[in-house]
Amino acid sequence: MSGLDGTRALVTGGASGIGLATARRLAGDGATVAVLDVADTGPDGLPYVRADVRDDAAVRAAVAEAVAALGGLDVLVNNVGIGAQGRVEDNDDDTWHRVLDVNVVGLVRVTRAALPALRDSARAAIVNTCSIAATTGLPDRALYSASKGAVLSLTLAMAADLVADGIRVNAVNPGTVDTPWVGRLLDVADDPAAERAALEARQPHGRLVSAAPTAGSTTGTWLAVDGGMARVRVRAKN
Ligand SMILES: NC(=O)c1ccc[n+]([C@@H]2O[C@H](COP(=O)([O-])OP(=O)(O)OC[C@H]3O[C@@H](n4cnc5c(N)ncnc54)[C@H](O)[C@@H]3O)[C@@H](O)[C@H]2O)c1
């Protein structure tokens, strides 16, 4: 028996990078895992549902299909995200709307669609992939940081709203992770090797985070295991 035997999980953005590694890790630990992504194909061996998180009808249909395939839902990993570079003045309105639509409203759409199934679970949890950009000012990441700041605040608000339903809500904040995402960043850099070296030097442990399990990239932080005491307020019951 593994700790996750019998756990049913849906990972969004699970066709690549952090989501793919998460889906494989959950499956390796015994969970039954489905993946939602906009990519043409999903990971080998896992149920795959295709949807663009900007399309509410497609998201509802895909989540319903995944929940049916899994026979219910215990864990939702909201991991879809796209990047944006530039200072506050560098992106036009369309770009702002597109990134916020994917990174923030997309997460809302998937969560909304998944909540009925999560409410039926006896051990429900939502994990949002957030970012170091939510808590630290990084240069040239204004829009992306705003989107992940929203994800962080939304995580706390959802945690407060859903605790009475028995649904825990948390976020993971990666630093710079060596996924196809970073590959795309380097592709557009003037000097990819220098850019990679700068990204590695920005991390105190001197290398990019790996999406692989046991990446050894958690340091200098804390994980509160406190039933929500530190950061969640609930209304007193009358
Ligand atoms: N790579 C990093 O350095 C880094 C750092 C901090 C946080 N993150 C966050 O981690 C998450 C995953 O990033 P990654 O590095 O694995 O990226 P990635 O590009 O390798 O994977 C992202 C996945 O999301 C999917 N996706 C994108 N837009 C979508 C849409 N509209 N609908 C459905 N699926 C969509 C893509 O098809 C892809 O499979 C993102 O939320 C990102 O913001 C990444």
Side-chain angles (χ1 to χ4, degrees):
M1 279 287 281
S2 134
L4 294 183
D5 278 346
T7 298
R8 301 153 300 180
L10 175 62
V11 180
T12 77
S16 174
I18 295 170
L20 177 60
T22 302
R24 291 211 184 291
R25 173 64 187 265
L26 290 171
D29 283 354
T32 312
V33 183
V35 163
L36 182 155
D37 202 292
V38 76
D40 289 339
T41 53
D44 285 346
L46 298 180
Y48 180 61
V49 291
R50 189 171 179 276
D52 187 325
V53 298
R54 293 175 294 178
D55 179 343
D56 192 48
V59 166
R60 285 182 186 280
V63 170
E65 190 184 335
V67 169
L70 296 169
L73 190 64
D74 306 296
V75 175
L76 170 63
V77 181
N78 277 315
N79 168 75
V80 165
I82 57 173
Q85 295 193 61
R87 299 173 172 218
V88 69
E89 73 272 33
D90 289 337
N91 290 298
D92 61 17
D93 281 14
D94 285 349
T95 309
W96 274 86
H97 288 143
R98 183 170 53 81
V99 174
L100 294 173
D101 197 16
V102 173
N103 291 6
V104 184
V105 191
L107 182 155
V108 173
R109 292 186 187 102
V110 175
T111 304
R112 229 162 30 192
L115 271 178
L118 288 170
R119 287 198 171 99
D120 284 343
S121 163
R123 48 187 163 150
I126 299 172
V127 180
N128 299 325
T129 306
C130 190
S131 172
I132 180 66
T135 58
T136 299
L138 301 178
D140 283 322
R141 295 289 184 275
L143 164 53
Y144 179 69
S145 301
S147 77
K148 292 300 183 176
V151 168
L152 186 61
S153 301
L154 184 56
T155 300
L156 295 175
M158 282 165 45
D161 285 338
L162 298 176
V163 67
D165 292 347
I167 304 172
R168 298 179 298 107
V169 188
N170 295 290
V172 175
N173 288 10
T176 303
V177 189
D178 201 355
T179 68
W181 172 300
V182 169
R184 291 191 295 274
L185 265 182
L186 298 181
D187 286 346
V188 297
D190 293 336
D191 182 345
E195 181 67 16
R196 187 179 177 97
L199 290 174
E200 286 172 346
R202 195 170 73 176
Q203 308 242 145
H205 72 342
R207 57 184 163 86
L208 297 186
V209 175
S210 163
T214 63
S217 293
T218 304
T219 186
T221 189
W222 69 92
L223 180 65
V225 185
D226 64 354
M229 216 170 163
R231 303 210 178 271
V232 174
R233 300 282 176 279
V234 289
R235 274 179 83 120
K237 291 195 177 70
N238 295 320

